[in-house]
């Protein structure tokens, strides 16, 4: 079908065909905080097609009306475009339905299928199906297999309407479990039907990394080992584990943040230009970076855990005193790594990564530290020559800044570092769409560029597994640090022994 | 916040602007960021239009930071030219202010001819230039050409056009110069275009795009050319995008300017699009097809500054508008 010519040039140029989106785990937190509010905001901005249908599937007893009421409250609280506009909501809510059932209850899938079939004609969804698995990974195989057994998955090789499945992280907890999840997925779906969400990839600034690198001529010539001294990535959270103590204690920060979000950022910073801005072209280049990661040396990793302290002026309990966390837990809440990408572009350029909970503030930041000028022309005057730093702030206060030295006004040659800054909020004003909005829209469009592919996931696990095993065997010390500080001293030593320092983000 | 205007000598405008920033940095307790994505030159012919443009662009600069140059030109007055500068500052949270500059030039008599080179000298380098022409386009084409020479965009409002000649002139500028025209009235159509497009999203309806027999566009306002320009652009757009000749009829109803409803007639059925002002939406309905369609599109803000902001947020020339303008010109002739 040709695109609708009347959409040409509109802000809503890319509106997908109407489909049925089934959310498994519809009574959960993700549905209420992100998914339905995100879908509502898309409808508010005119980016959803008329006839778009959303079916919540969960164990809780609920009528369609009760589901709509609870989703309206969720949208009022969490939607980017809140408060809810009554007229838009009324139309959006007409496409909201609920099916009650256990994930293993075959009869519930029959009820679901009957509804889907009905909507295909009454709401024009034409057999197009999206299954969003907002459930723990344990349920993944049950749901996928039952959908397959009930004939609710179309083969993408056929000429029929599409079926896609959207999977939330964690994509396994090690290489073996990731492989098993992927095996289950491809026993029911083809790889190109599987959309693995890493919400970092839906963030505007993360996408802007590609634009910064590949839409501008000035950066790429310097983006290599000849000009770059090192790269730093920081993913800091000021919050602790909150209600996720049980999950987090079995995972740790390396599984929760580094294996997915941080390695995605590393691959976007380090990848070669793709031949096209298309799903497989981009992901081919990303996975090449992951394959080139040098095996981690034990001395290049530091694990830490927050002790009692204070964050943003509020007292914070120690990790081991958090709800659902074992009092003797050795799970890392902080990790710092020095990694290398063994390829022509990045040989011997260290990438320093650090991620942690209960750090002084919430910030995600990438900084590219350039080599100093080749000849210290001004050092005779006793002046310190600083590295140029290109800093990309992913969140909050998204933007890009470039630090360089400038002459201080006056009769003598004295220099001082200054920054040129670009801030999204300053230049563009409008609040960018939530990452989930973008990703939901992309799944409806069938564009997998912003989703992780099977080989990316497995390559990342294969690289990280030896470190996780070593930590499990307690082969490295666990460094405690007070909550509200930038991590243990060992993390500072990791970078300072190379004559460098963590950048204060 | 709009800092008080400061009268300055013409040769020292840039120096005085730099001074303004130095003073802001020294005196302001809050961090001040200077930003600009556009140079916007508003050209007015009266003090009322000048006040309107100043007010609109001051508010628009909160959403699209810009160097604003507001010109008031009166070729019939005594020979004189004066200028003022000020800063438009807006809080963006975190205690930070974003500021951009505003320059006002008032010229009359023979000194009006000095305006285009002065404006050209005051433009920020590397930023695109939009010239917003308030009111009817003048007959003095040399002056317009000089003013438009550095412009990437000419913003007009066809709801103020006197006759089809204005449409003709704008269309010619689009064809013969590197300045892309843009029309606030076209931007008013956004919600109507979105609602109409939504109607034709389903497969069953898409195929019917070629079988539209007639459009009936109901709009309000007086009987002037400008009052029907929005309806004219709508019909031109439908013809351009459907790539087919479609008969049309304009109906004048009510005093509220702008389109109020559209009927799309097929052989055996009719689709309707109408605005529900109370609910703030545009509703599109099509019956008589396999799947009944009911699209709700949020009505967009129609204040002038919102229209300007929407135009400035589109960095490229609007190809669909240019296509439609050409057809509208033919329909109006």
């Amino acid at each position: 079908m040709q695109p609708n010519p009347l959409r040409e040039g509109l802000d809503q140029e890319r509106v997908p065909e109407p489909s049925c989106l089934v959310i498994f785990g519809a009574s959960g937190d993700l549905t209420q905080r992100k998914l339905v509010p995100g879908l509502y905001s898309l409808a508010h901005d005119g980016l959803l097609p008329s006839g778009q249908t959303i079916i919540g599937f969960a164990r809780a007893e609920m009528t369609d009306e009760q589901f709509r009421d609870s989703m309206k409250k969720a949208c009022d609280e969490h939607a980017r475009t809140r408060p809810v506009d009554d007229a838009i909501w009324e139309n959006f809510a007409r496409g909201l339905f609920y099916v009650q059932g256990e994930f293993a209850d075959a009869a519930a899938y029959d009820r679901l299928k009957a509804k889907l079939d009905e909507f295909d004609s009454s709401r024009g969804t034409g057999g197009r199906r999206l299954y969003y698995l907002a459930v723990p990974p344990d349920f993944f195989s049950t749901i996928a297999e039952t959908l397959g057994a009930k004939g609710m998955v179309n083969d993408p090789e056929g000429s029929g309407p599409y079926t896609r499945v959207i999977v939330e992280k964690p994509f396994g907890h090690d290489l073996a479990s990731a492989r098993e999840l992927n095996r289950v997925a491809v026993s029911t779906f083809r790889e190109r039907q599987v959309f693995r969400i890493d919400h970092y990839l839906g963030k505007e600034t993360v996408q802007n990394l590609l634009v910064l690198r590949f839409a501008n001529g000035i950066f790429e010539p310097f983006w290599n080992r000849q000009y770059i001294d090192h790269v730093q990535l920081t993913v800091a959270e000021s919050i602790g584990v909150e209600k996720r103590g049980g999950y987090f204690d079995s995972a740790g920060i390396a599984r929760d943040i580094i294996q997915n979000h941080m390695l995605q950022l590393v691959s976007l910073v380090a990848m070669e230009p793709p031949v096209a801005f298309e799903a497989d072209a981009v992901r081919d280049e990303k996975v090449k970076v992951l394959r080139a990661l040098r095996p981690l040396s034990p001395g290049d990793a530091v694990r830490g855990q927050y002790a009692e302290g204070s964050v943003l002026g509020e007292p914070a309990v120690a990790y081991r005193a958090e709800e659902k966390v074992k009092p003797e837990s050795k799970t890392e809440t902080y990790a710092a790594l020095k990694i290398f990408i063994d390829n022509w572009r990045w040989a011997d350029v260290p990438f320093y990564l650090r991620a942690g909970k209960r750090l002084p503030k919430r910030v995600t930041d990438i900084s590219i530290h350039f080599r100093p000028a080749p000849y210290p022309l001004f050092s005779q005057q006793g002046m310190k020559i600083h590295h140029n730093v290109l800093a990309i702030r992913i969140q909050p206060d998204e933007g890009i800044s470039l630090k360089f030295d400038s002459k201080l006004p006056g009769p003598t040659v004295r220099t001082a570092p200054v920054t040129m800054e670009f801030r999204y909020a300053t230049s563009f004003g409008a609040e960018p769409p939530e990452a989930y909005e973008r990703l939901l829209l992309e799944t409806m469009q069938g564009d997998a560029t912003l989703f992780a592919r099977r080989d990316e996931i497995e390559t990342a696990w294969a690289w990280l597994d030896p470190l996780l095993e070593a930590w499990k065997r307690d082969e490295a010390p666990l460094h405690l640090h007070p909550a509200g500080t930038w991590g243990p001293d060992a993390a500072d030593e990791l970078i300072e022994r190379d004559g460098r320092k963590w950048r204060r983000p | 916040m709009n800092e008080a205007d400061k009268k300055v000598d013409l040769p020292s405008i840039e120096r005085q602007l730099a001074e303004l920033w130095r003073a802001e940095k020294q005196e302001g307790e809050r961090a001040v960021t200077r930003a600009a994505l556009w140079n916007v030159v508003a050209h007015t012919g009266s003090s009322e239009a000048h006040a309107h443009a100043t007010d609109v662009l001051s508010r628009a600069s909160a959403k699209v930071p810009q160097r604003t140059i507001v010109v008031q030109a009166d070729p019939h007055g005594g020979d004189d030219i004066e200028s003022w500068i000020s800063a438009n500052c807006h809080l963006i949270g975190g205690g930070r202010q974003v500021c951009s500059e505003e320059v006002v030039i008032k010229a009359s008599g023979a000194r009006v001819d000095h305006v285009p080179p002065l404006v050209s000298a005051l433009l920020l380098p590397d930023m695109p230039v939009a010239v917003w022409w308030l009111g009817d386009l003048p007959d003095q084409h040399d002056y317009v050409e000089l003013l438009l020479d550095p412009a990437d965009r000419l913003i007009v409002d066809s709801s103020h056009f006197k006759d089809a000649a204005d449409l003709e002139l704008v269309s010619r500028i689009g064809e013969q110069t590197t300045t892309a025209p843009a029309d606030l009235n076209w931007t008013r159509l956004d919600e109507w275009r979105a609602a109409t497009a939504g109607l034709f999203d389903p497969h069953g309806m898409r195929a019917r795009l070629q079988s539209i027999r007639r459009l009936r566009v109901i709009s309000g306002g007086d009987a002037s050319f400008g009052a029907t320009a929005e309806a004219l652009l709508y019909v031109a757009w439908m013809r351009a995008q459907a790539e087919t000749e479609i008969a049309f009829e304009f109906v004048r109803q009510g005093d509220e300017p702008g389109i109020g409803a559209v009927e799309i007639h097929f052989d055996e059925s009719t689709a309707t699009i109408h605005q529900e002002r109370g609910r703030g939406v545009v509703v599109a309905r099509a019956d008589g097809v396999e799947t009944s369609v009911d699209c709700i599109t949020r009505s967009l803000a129609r204040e002038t500054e919102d229209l300007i902001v929407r135009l400035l947020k589109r960095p490229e020339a609007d190809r669909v508008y240019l296509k439609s303008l050409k057809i509208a010109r033919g329909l109006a002739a």
Side-chain angles (χ1 to χ4, degrees), chain B residues 139 141 145 161 174 199 207 232-233 244 286 288:
Chain B
D139 302 327
H141 290 179
E145 273 173 30
F161 282 1
L199 205 55
L232 186 69
L233 285 169
T244 180

Side-chain angles (χ1 to χ4, degrees), chain A residues 241-256:
Chain A
V241 292
E242 298 192 308
K243 289 178 180 169
R244 295 167 71 228
Y247 158 73
F248 190 87
D249 206 34
S250 65
I253 203 85
R255 286 188 175 90
D256 197 41

Side-chain angles (χ1 to χ4, degrees), chain A residues 2 4-5 7-8 44 427, chain B residues 37 65 197 201 203 206 241 298:
Chain A
Q2 291 294 309
N4 182 352
R7 291 222 167 264
E8 187 186 354
H44 178 272
S427 291
Chain B
L37 295 179
D201 275 335
H203 283 185
R206 189 87 51 87
Q241 297 309 101
R298 192 167 48 96

